[in-house]
Amino acid sequence: MADEDLLPSVRQLVSKVKPTIHAAKNVSEAEELLLHLEETDENFHRYELVKYLRNKISTDLGSVIDSEIEKRTLENRGKGGGEEELIRTITDVVVNSIGYSSLTQSLKHKTKDAVDRLLETFDEDVDNQRKVYEGRQSPKKTAFPFSDDSSSFESSFNQPDFDFPNQEKFQRLAQNLENDQPIELRRDAVMQLCHIPPSDVLACDQWTHLKKGLQDALADSDDQLSDKSLQFHARMFSTNSHMVTREVYSNLVDHLTTLFQSRKCKAAFPIGDGLNAADPYVQRILRKFRLMNEFQREVPSYWVRFPEKFLDDVIECTLSLLSIHSIGAISSNETMTPLHYFALLDPKASWFRKWMHGNYSRTAVLRILEKHRILVDTCVKFLMDFVSTRKSGSDSMTDLTDTMRRSKIGEEKRKIFTSKELEYLYFVHCLSIIGVVTLYANGRQFFPVKQRDKEVTITDLLVSLIHLLPHGGTELATRAAVFDPGNLVTDVLKCVSASQAVCSECMKNKVIMELISPLRMYMKGRKCKESTLLHIADILSVLASSQCGRQMLLYGESKERIKHNKLAAVHTIAEFAKKSISKSLPSQCGPAPSRAVVGAYVFICRQIYSNCEGLHVLYPYGLHSYIADAWREASRETERAPTPRPDSDSDTSSQSGKQEAIDAFAWEQTLRDNLLNFAGTPKGLLMLQQTGAMNECVEYMYVRYANKLQVSKHEKFGYGTMVTQIAATAPGMVALHSTGFIKALLAELWSVLECGPDERRIIRPTAIPVDPIDKSAHKSLMSLVNVLSAYPAVYEVIANQPLANKESYSFREVPDTITGIIERLIMVDSPGKVHSLFNVEQSHVFGLRILSVMCCCLDSFLLLETQYKIQDMLLQSQQQNRRGQDEGRDDFIIDMPSVERNHVLVRTYIVGGPSERILPPRTLNDQDDPYPWPLFSQFPVPKQYTPQLIRPSAMKQENELTKFLSASKNDEVNSLWLDKCKKAFCSLLTRKADLGTGKVLVDMLDRVLSALLKIPDESIFPLKDYIGSDSQLKGHKLPALQIMGIKMAVRYGQHLKILHNVSESTEKLTMLIKQSTQYLKQQQRKTDSEIRFLQQDYMGHDWFASTLFLMMSGNREKSWNFLHKFSTLIASGYLWLPRFHNSMQLPPQLTVSGIHPVFSTTGHNIELLLQIEVPLVYSAFKMSGYTCSQICQNWLRQCFWNYFDWQDICHYVCVCILMGSDYQVYTCVAIFKHLQQSLLLHAQHKDLQVFLTERPIQGFHVGNYLEYMQQLEQKYRYLVLTDMKCITKP
């Protein structure tokens, strides 16, 4: 604002708020409207007076405000909260400062002067407006001065007054603009053109001549004429017409093109002389390029509305100009080119980034750039030469970049630019352009670029740029410098690494090896700057966040995943991280790396080990132990740190101690965060538990989860999956419960279903639910399902926990335990419980849904039933829901709770696969009978829910397996026989699976077991003799849970028509369970653990023993003989879960962890193979916050009871014993592949957990997927089976 004259600004403000003032009814209302003008006027911040005031505040008070913010922030660091108080304190200080007082006095004086002058000219202004309306003269507006008059680097857009001349006047103006006319006449002609609407100028017949005259004026040596012509071009840009915009832009570009193509071009002076921006001629050139650059940055926001011809013309003329005098090497004879001027005004090529941002313009830019590829060649050649001249390190850029950082380009103080600075700005501009070009497929087609006698590929370019990383600042603070070469190269490489497509083409192994070479040198004793290490860590972190980048780090360019590659980059990174955190780097490198460096590389490892594939590679490094040791050391340091005192603020030593305490706490939190991320995988969770830091890490996770924070800066999802993974184990549930996570989860659930705490403000009443599970409660349902799906976790929170069963409950009494939820929402069996619920029906249905999901795990159901008699409660509720005692099904009241109870009763009573039981639906239909399924209030369930099964034929049917067994009856069972048996069995399952039942499979298993006992790799456990007798067994009492499980198994066998005498079968199965329990107890060690699940015998039913009992047709002796011998095989630990409970055969640290190998090993390998083989399903689990290892643990625990039909259960057992225990993993992967479409659909509906838990596995048969499993065996057996067998190693 010239001379700070506020009159034009005040006049503009008054004219703009005139409608607002007129709308007011009185003066006081007008004042009120003006006081709130910022809230009501969207253009408020565009007014020149507002801009002026904001600029004055920033100039006069900016330093005071910044110093106060920095001071108060340091004082309040670590205290948390108090943001409003902080702002109020800073405001008070600024308002009471001397600078604020002088500023207000100055503004008052200048504003009063402007208002006085406005009042003096008021009559004149009114008269002028009156004359305008009468048509006597054109309106007169006060225009703001042309901004370029004050600076070559400021804005150029303006808006003048207009008049409307005729064609004769245009002809006269064109003549006056000719070169041979007097200079005054030419100036006047340009001035008159500035007052004519742009569209009229372009539409006149003389535009061609005018354009030529305006070009001549731009090139004229007279400063005033050149500036007025540039001002005309600037004002022409303000029009909305694409025709005018294109013409004026092309005219400006044509002028610059002619200027640089001229032999006597003064603008193309030698770079070695430097640039003096104060020189008038240079100023004019800079103004022209500034105007052009401003247009380039603005036009992408609206050129999509213009014809494609406009886009093509603008891009064509621009690239043509930039291609002039293109250079390819650094020499002393270089001259300034258009690209140099652009680099000076827009170093980071923001104009080009905007042009390449949208597909509409990017397509055109790359197409036209093909004709001007010399521009790309020039940039690439210059980058290569620039790097080559600085490889030696003698030409350090630190001083140069620090200078560029301290002095912003475009400031009035900065007028002189040295040749080195011009060259560096040119490098920055070229790097920015090429960095954007390489991000797109058509852009990468410009490579390779020919340079002298070789071709430069993208890989070569990136390798060369990496050499600039050590040229960055020597201190960490310089990393934030805008022009730091290390920072610039890091940004380019991060953009390249972030995209899957670009990364796969550009980040080759050569690039990554060059990138991590400083790490290798460091470990060999050669010191490296910390800024360089941090730059490398930034790039590697982005690389590790994408699937493609992770593969490059793990395996290099090898396409074989899981194969160990010693030369892969991840090994160097892991080794450096391990040595850094353990402070075991070579002593000749000086002090150990800072915590920032160590944390950065541990974070990269964490990105890799947070998934199964990465953990498989990093497992040998034992990073969890090193991080845990460092965390404990940091925790001790935090505890020793002095407590800050209020009276020590001015003490320098106290301030230093306070900062050290803050740094120590931040470091401790960082290490705890890295430890926590081991919980992202089943095996990683076991490793976390073995460090002893489970509770502390879960506590940290709870704080971040409650604040809805992301897992990391590169992680798209929250902690949902990690919570589910942790909740799948007994120690994980103990940690969740002790840290308050479960309590917070239940409080949130209760606030959704019923009511929140007393202090929660109710803004509006909640809507009355329509669906059984309202949308608002769906998330809480899924969260609760996630933490209650695994039996070991359920056992920890409800075992031996009685229900309160109080006579009355207050409305605000929120349950804070799982048993409290069971009591209040599921066991709603008393008037007190009913009266305590605001939404009885909806809340009870919610509880029944939770019960239904929990009961899908048969062990969880048995625990609930034995402790709380849930079936009796449900039957009693159904009985109370009858209208009378008349016979028939219509005597039951059909409502949401009765339908849900009916579903749960059928589900918990009948055992069977997809075709062996019928589960009633939860919904009503629109027919005459809305619910045709019979309700009942006592067992057994109605016949409608138990389909009639065909009894297995007693006749022996010939097939390949029976033929093989008969033919080899007298043969020795060994490895060769085993291979032949596998072929016969596979042939049977793939061709005639229905024939693989009954005695045939039992005979095969007996002989297969004899063969496996002779193979040392399979029979790895010693065969212990059973010590005991039947009389002792009869005196041994089984837990109620086991007894109920036996009854359920016998009922299933009777339903399958395998068992006939119920009492006899019950007694035999009871004796078998007792005998196997006592036998396994002989091989168990006592553990002193807080985990309830480990404090006694295996507290779940032995589903594998029950399965074998049914396969052996209820023959106890045969079943026991098989189990006894089978206990020596490695497969026994994975099929027969009680086998590894507190087992002496396992390492002590694994036993006391409370995590079963079926979860930590089988579940881990299932996730690993799923990530590779069925990535869409793996992603669906990730997005759903659920884990495949959790549902697989449930399936495998109960031998697929209720999920497979009996025939497929038998086939599953036989396959895992005959083909190998790793087929347990392949079976689960095959199931997920079979269910892929359904899983993706339910992931979209956000009920994946409920679908997998409640639904049987429809349409899956082991025989149909046996070929696929064999393919998995060929690809992964060396990994999976080896991992499963290594379970006995410490």
Side-chain angles (χ1 to χ4, degrees), residues 137 156 188 220-221 255-256 298 303 475 501-502 518 712 717 721 780 800 804 950 985 1003 1071 1149 1289:
Q137 67 178 53
S156 303
D188 184 65
D220 200 275
S221 58
H255 158 69
L256 292 172
E298 290 292 331
W303 62 10
E475 299 178 1
V502 183
S712 73
F717 306 99
T721 304
S780 297
N800 303 320
I950 301 175
F985 177 72
D1003 292 344
M1071 293 296 289
Q1149 63 268 28
K1289 297 180 181 179

mmCIF file of all heavy atoms in Angstrom, residues 137 156 188 220-221 255-256 298 303 475 501-502 518 712 717 721 780 800 804 950 985 1003 1071 1149 1289:
data_model
loop_
_atom_site.group_PDB
_atom_site.id
_atom_site.type_symbol
_atom_site.label_atom_id
_atom_site.label_comp_id
_atom_site.label_asym_id
_atom_site.label_seq_id
_atom_site.Cartn_x
_atom_site.Cartn_y
_atom_site.Cartn_z
ATOM 1 N N GLN A 137 -20.386 10.583 -18.172
ATOM 2 C CA GLN A 137 -18.994 10.141 -18.116
ATOM 3 C C GLN A 137 -18.950 8.745 -17.526
ATOM 4 O O GLN A 137 -19.892 8.276 -16.911
ATOM 5 C CB GLN A 137 -18.147 11.095 -17.281
ATOM 6 C CG GLN A 137 -18.519 11.104 -15.785
ATOM 7 C CD GLN A 137 -17.619 12.020 -15.000
ATOM 8 O OE1 GLN A 137 -17.466 13.173 -15.338
ATOM 9 N NE2 GLN A 137 -17.021 11.494 -13.978
ATOM 10 N N SER A 156 0.780 -9.605 -9.317
ATOM 11 C CA SER A 156 0.647 -8.788 -10.511
ATOM 12 C C SER A 156 -0.772 -8.593 -10.971
ATOM 13 O O SER A 156 -1.008 -7.928 -11.979
ATOM 14 C CB SER A 156 1.439 -9.425 -11.665
ATOM 15 O OG SER A 156 2.776 -9.594 -11.311
ATOM 16 N N ASP A 188 0.732 6.830 -23.665
ATOM 17 C CA ASP A 188 -0.681 7.190 -23.541
ATOM 18 C C ASP A 188 -1.575 6.117 -24.159
ATOM 19 O O ASP A 188 -2.655 5.815 -23.630
ATOM 20 C CB ASP A 188 -0.916 8.543 -24.213
ATOM 21 C CG ASP A 188 -2.351 9.018 -24.038
ATOM 22 O OD1 ASP A 188 -2.747 9.286 -22.883
ATOM 23 O OD2 ASP A 188 -3.079 9.077 -25.058
ATOM 24 N N ASP A 220 10.642 -2.534 -25.020
ATOM 25 C CA ASP A 220 11.215 -1.200 -25.124
ATOM 26 C C ASP A 220 12.120 -0.914 -23.930
ATOM 27 O O ASP A 220 11.890 -1.396 -22.822
ATOM 28 C CB ASP A 220 10.095 -0.155 -25.199
ATOM 29 C CG ASP A 220 10.589 1.159 -25.787
ATOM 30 O OD1 ASP A 220 11.126 1.977 -25.010
ATOM 31 O OD2 ASP A 220 10.452 1.334 -27.007
ATOM 32 N N SER A 221 13.125 -0.082 -24.182
ATOM 33 C CA SER A 221 14.072 0.265 -23.121
ATOM 34 C C SER A 221 13.502 1.271 -22.140
ATOM 35 O O SER A 221 14.053 1.462 -21.055
ATOM 36 C CB SER A 221 15.357 0.819 -23.739
ATOM 37 O OG SER A 221 15.072 1.980 -24.546
ATOM 38 N N HIS A 255 6.792 -12.763 -26.459
ATOM 39 C CA HIS A 255 7.769 -11.693 -26.214
ATOM 40 C C HIS A 255 9.035 -12.251 -25.565
ATOM 41 O O HIS A 255 10.160 -11.932 -26.000
ATOM 42 C CB HIS A 255 7.152 -10.627 -25.304
ATOM 43 C CG HIS A 255 8.160 -9.806 -24.579
ATOM 44 N ND1 HIS A 255 8.998 -8.904 -25.214
ATOM 45 C CD2 HIS A 255 8.499 -9.773 -23.252
ATOM 46 C CE1 HIS A 255 9.802 -8.346 -24.319
ATOM 47 N NE2 HIS A 255 9.504 -8.851 -23.118
ATOM 48 N N LEU A 256 8.870 -13.100 -24.532
ATOM 49 C CA LEU A 256 10.038 -13.667 -23.859
ATOM 50 C C LEU A 256 10.807 -14.605 -24.786
ATOM 51 O O LEU A 256 12.045 -14.657 -24.746
ATOM 52 C CB LEU A 256 9.596 -14.395 -22.595
ATOM 53 C CG LEU A 256 9.048 -13.516 -21.470
ATOM 54 C CD1 LEU A 256 8.470 -14.373 -20.359
ATOM 55 C CD2 LEU A 256 10.127 -12.593 -20.923
ATOM 56 N N GLU A 298 -2.090 -20.260 -11.092
ATOM 57 C CA GLU A 298 -3.519 -20.029 -10.909
ATOM 58 C C GLU A 298 -4.377 -20.786 -11.923
ATOM 59 O O GLU A 298 -5.465 -21.253 -11.596
ATOM 60 C CB GLU A 298 -3.824 -18.531 -11.028
ATOM 61 C CG GLU A 298 -3.302 -17.698 -9.883
ATOM 62 C CD GLU A 298 -4.036 -17.986 -8.584
ATOM 63 O OE1 GLU A 298 -5.219 -18.362 -8.643
ATOM 64 O OE2 GLU A 298 -3.414 -17.844 -7.520
ATOM 65 N N TRP A 303 -8.826 -24.206 -15.597
ATOM 66 C CA TRP A 303 -8.727 -24.504 -17.029
ATOM 67 C C TRP A 303 -9.524 -25.741 -17.451
ATOM 68 O O TRP A 303 -9.729 -25.984 -18.625
ATOM 69 C CB TRP A 303 -7.293 -24.598 -17.485
ATOM 70 C CG TRP A 303 -6.428 -25.677 -16.885
ATOM 71 C CD1 TRP A 303 -6.794 -26.722 -16.113
ATOM 72 C CD2 TRP A 303 -5.008 -25.749 -17.036
ATOM 73 N NE1 TRP A 303 -5.706 -27.456 -15.755
ATOM 74 C CE2 TRP A 303 -4.584 -26.889 -16.314
ATOM 75 C CE3 TRP A 303 -4.049 -24.997 -17.709
ATOM 76 C CZ2 TRP A 303 -3.258 -27.275 -16.248
ATOM 77 C CZ3 TRP A 303 -2.722 -25.380 -17.649
ATOM 78 C CH2 TRP A 303 -2.327 -26.507 -16.920
ATOM 79 N N GLU A 475 23.815 -30.561 11.539
ATOM 80 C CA GLU A 475 23.001 -30.678 12.738
ATOM 81 C C GLU A 475 21.593 -31.085 12.373
ATOM 82 O O GLU A 475 21.142 -30.878 11.248
ATOM 83 C CB GLU A 475 22.985 -29.349 13.499
ATOM 84 C CG GLU A 475 24.368 -28.892 13.955
ATOM 85 C CD GLU A 475 24.309 -27.557 14.667
ATOM 86 O OE1 GLU A 475 23.191 -27.030 14.801
ATOM 87 O OE2 GLU A 475 25.358 -27.051 15.072
ATOM 88 N N ALA A 501 3.313 -48.665 -7.867
ATOM 89 C CA ALA A 501 3.735 -48.799 -9.256
ATOM 90 C C ALA A 501 5.104 -48.170 -9.477
ATOM 91 O O ALA A 501 5.979 -48.744 -10.136
ATOM 92 C CB ALA A 501 2.694 -48.169 -10.181
ATOM 93 N N VAL A 502 5.303 -46.968 -8.926
ATOM 94 C CA VAL A 502 6.571 -46.269 -9.117
ATOM 95 C C VAL A 502 7.688 -47.007 -8.395
ATOM 96 O O VAL A 502 8.794 -47.171 -8.923
ATOM 97 C CB VAL A 502 6.460 -44.816 -8.605
ATOM 98 C CG1 VAL A 502 7.749 -44.062 -8.877
ATOM 99 C CG2 VAL A 502 5.294 -44.103 -9.265
ATOM 100 N N PRO A 518 25.772 -46.349 3.706
ATOM 101 C CA PRO A 518 26.335 -45.702 4.906
ATOM 102 C C PRO A 518 26.149 -46.530 6.182
ATOM 103 O O PRO A 518 26.973 -46.441 7.097
ATOM 104 C CB PRO A 518 25.556 -44.375 4.983
ATOM 105 C CG PRO A 518 25.135 -44.092 3.581
ATOM 106 C CD PRO A 518 24.858 -45.438 2.998
ATOM 107 N N SER A 712 0.619 -45.781 13.814
ATOM 108 C CA SER A 712 1.834 -45.064 13.430
ATOM 109 C C SER A 712 1.502 -44.128 12.289
ATOM 110 O O SER A 712 0.390 -44.129 11.762
ATOM 111 C CB SER A 712 2.937 -46.047 13.014
ATOM 112 O OG SER A 712 2.643 -46.611 11.741
ATOM 113 N N PHE A 717 -4.850 -47.991 9.710
ATOM 114 C CA PHE A 717 -5.907 -48.443 10.602
ATOM 115 C C PHE A 717 -5.495 -48.241 12.053
ATOM 116 O O PHE A 717 -4.328 -48.019 12.374
ATOM 117 C CB PHE A 717 -6.235 -49.912 10.330
ATOM 118 C CG PHE A 717 -6.562 -50.191 8.901
ATOM 119 C CD1 PHE A 717 -5.621 -50.725 8.039
ATOM 120 C CD2 PHE A 717 -7.817 -49.884 8.396
ATOM 121 C CE1 PHE A 717 -5.923 -50.973 6.712
ATOM 122 C CE2 PHE A 717 -8.123 -50.118 7.073
ATOM 123 C CZ PHE A 717 -7.179 -50.662 6.234
ATOM 124 N N THR A 721 -7.271 -54.362 15.235
ATOM 125 C CA THR A 721 -6.705 -55.681 14.978
ATOM 126 C C THR A 721 -5.779 -56.111 16.095
ATOM 127 O O THR A 721 -5.774 -57.277 16.519
ATOM 128 C CB THR A 721 -5.942 -55.672 13.645
ATOM 129 O OG1 THR A 721 -6.818 -55.236 12.603
ATOM 130 C CG2 THR A 721 -5.410 -57.051 13.317
ATOM 131 N N SER A 780 -20.194 -51.511 19.040
ATOM 132 C CA SER A 780 -19.946 -52.078 20.370
ATOM 133 C C SER A 780 -20.096 -53.591 20.357
ATOM 134 O O SER A 780 -19.361 -54.312 21.042
ATOM 135 C CB SER A 780 -20.915 -51.466 21.392
ATOM 136 O OG SER A 780 -20.713 -50.070 21.509
ATOM 137 N N ASN A 800 -15.066 -69.061 37.632
ATOM 138 C CA ASN A 800 -15.262 -68.969 39.088
ATOM 139 C C ASN A 800 -15.708 -67.582 39.548
ATOM 140 O O ASN A 800 -15.475 -67.198 40.699
ATOM 141 C CB ASN A 800 -13.969 -69.360 39.827
ATOM 142 C CG ASN A 800 -13.484 -70.745 39.456
ATOM 143 O OD1 ASN A 800 -14.279 -71.674 39.308
ATOM 144 N ND2 ASN A 800 -12.183 -70.888 39.275
ATOM 145 N N ALA A 804 -23.785 -61.370 40.798
ATOM 146 C CA ALA A 804 -24.243 -60.681 42.010
ATOM 147 C C ALA A 804 -25.703 -61.014 42.319
ATOM 148 O O ALA A 804 -26.061 -61.270 43.472
ATOM 149 C CB ALA A 804 -24.068 -59.170 41.843
ATOM 150 N N ILE A 950 -28.613 -90.259 7.233
ATOM 151 C CA ILE A 950 -28.534 -91.641 6.738
ATOM 152 C C ILE A 950 -27.439 -92.375 7.494
ATOM 153 O O ILE A 950 -26.310 -91.880 7.603
ATOM 154 C CB ILE A 950 -28.242 -91.657 5.224
ATOM 155 C CG1 ILE A 950 -29.347 -90.901 4.470
ATOM 156 C CG2 ILE A 950 -28.100 -93.087 4.719
ATOM 157 C CD1 ILE A 950 -29.072 -90.775 2.990
ATOM 158 N N PHE A 985 -4.909 -92.573 -0.446
ATOM 159 C CA PHE A 985 -5.848 -91.759 0.331
ATOM 160 C C PHE A 985 -6.240 -90.492 -0.437
ATOM 161 O O PHE A 985 -7.432 -90.128 -0.477
ATOM 162 C CB PHE A 985 -5.213 -91.401 1.675
ATOM 163 C CG PHE A 985 -6.066 -90.508 2.519
ATOM 164 C CD1 PHE A 985 -7.221 -90.994 3.123
ATOM 165 C CD2 PHE A 985 -5.726 -89.186 2.722
ATOM 166 C CE1 PHE A 985 -8.007 -90.176 3.907
ATOM 167 C CE2 PHE A 985 -6.505 -88.350 3.502
ATOM 168 C CZ PHE A 985 -7.653 -88.842 4.098
ATOM 169 N N ASP A 1003 -8.838 -98.154 10.154
ATOM 170 C CA ASP A 1003 -7.779 -99.113 9.821
ATOM 171 C C ASP A 1003 -6.561 -98.395 9.262
ATOM 172 O O ASP A 1003 -5.411 -98.723 9.597
ATOM 173 C CB ASP A 1003 -8.302 -100.134 8.810
ATOM 174 C CG ASP A 1003 -9.357 -101.050 9.413
ATOM 175 O OD1 ASP A 1003 -9.454 -101.093 10.655
ATOM 176 O OD2 ASP A 1003 -10.100 -101.694 8.635
ATOM 177 N N MET A 1071 -14.460 -92.593 30.975
ATOM 178 C CA MET A 1071 -13.239 -93.291 31.376
ATOM 179 C C MET A 1071 -12.077 -92.913 30.449
ATOM 180 O O MET A 1071 -10.931 -92.764 30.907
ATOM 181 C CB MET A 1071 -13.474 -94.799 31.350
ATOM 182 C CG MET A 1071 -14.473 -95.289 32.396
ATOM 183 S SD MET A 1071 -13.895 -95.004 34.085
ATOM 184 C CE MET A 1071 -12.575 -96.194 34.181
ATOM 185 N N GLN A 1149 9.776 -71.287 29.155
ATOM 186 C CA GLN A 1149 9.268 -69.948 28.852
ATOM 187 C C GLN A 1149 8.040 -69.988 27.960
ATOM 188 O O GLN A 1149 7.200 -69.086 28.006
ATOM 189 C CB GLN A 1149 10.362 -69.077 28.209
ATOM 190 C CG GLN A 1149 10.879 -69.576 26.866
ATOM 191 C CD GLN A 1149 12.091 -70.482 27.021
ATOM 192 O OE1 GLN A 1149 12.230 -71.145 28.049
ATOM 193 N NE2 GLN A 1149 12.945 -70.501 26.015
ATOM 194 N N LYS A 1289 12.218 -76.488 20.879
ATOM 195 C CA LYS A 1289 13.531 -75.875 21.099
ATOM 196 C C LYS A 1289 13.375 -74.598 21.924
ATOM 197 O O LYS A 1289 12.421 -73.860 21.746
ATOM 198 C CB LYS A 1289 14.194 -75.560 19.757
ATOM 199 C CG LYS A 1289 14.469 -76.805 18.922
ATOM 200 C CD LYS A 1289 15.122 -76.436 17.605
ATOM 201 C CE LYS A 1289 15.382 -77.686 16.758
ATOM 202 N NZ LYS A 1289 15.991 -77.343 15.459
#
